[in-house]
Amino acid sequence: MQRTLLTLALLTLPVAACAQDAPPSAERETPVITGGWSKAALTPEIEKVAVWAFNAMDVPGAELAEIENISQQVVAGMNYRMDLVFTDGRRWRVQVYQNLAGERSLTSAQAVK
């Protein structure tokens, strides 16, 4: 009985130590939902995805001005969803899937009013 309790105590110590390092939920910007969409900041990787999506859309005469409302979803790879704002004020919501090998596909592109 004592050996079981000692083993249990030793096994829970690393878990308890990890729990102390985790920031309190109030300090997290966005709650992480496994498999769900999470807000994301504009990083160099996301900027590359946005430029790739803009080029894949092939809108004649359009120029990319801003990237807004970015979110991502962890799947077998990553889904990115964002608004691309053009210099003429048009806005498109795009979704890009990037697989584990880094290959991308434009899964959705819709004009936003």
Side-chain angles (χ1 to χ4, degrees):
M1 174 75 168
Q2 284 184 330
R3 176 177 271 177
T4 304
L5 290 176
L6 179 60
T7 303
L8 182 60
L10 290 174
L11 290 174
T12 56
L13 277 176
V15 174
C18 291
Q20 291 175 358
D21 292 337
S25 60
E27 290 180 20
R28 289 188 215 128
E29 288 182 23
T30 306
V32 176
I33 302 169
T34 304
W37 288 94
S38 302
K39 288 188 177 192
L42 182 61
T43 63
E45 173 64 23
I46 290 175
E47 187 172 0
K48 288 178 190 175
V49 171
V51 169
W52 180 91
F54 173 76
N55 291 329
M57 289 173 58
D58 193 26
V59 180
E63 292 182 38
L64 183 60
E66 293 183 59
I67 305 162
E68 298 178 342
N69 301 323
I70 304 164
S71 55
Q72 60 188 22
Q73 178 187 37
V74 177
V75 291
M78 184 74 76
N79 280 321
Y80 297 96
R81 185 171 52 202
M82 63 197 78
D83 291 350
L84 304 181
V85 182
F86 299 168
T87 54
D88 63 5
R90 289 182 291 169
R91 176 184 297 267
W92 285 75
R93 178 155 302 136
V94 298
Q95 185 169 319
V96 175
Y97 169 68
Q98 182 171 302
N99 68 19
L100 295 173
E103 300 163 335
R104 298 178 183 133
S105 59
L106 183 63
T107 56
S108 175
Q110 298 177 346
V112 178
K113 295 183 181 193

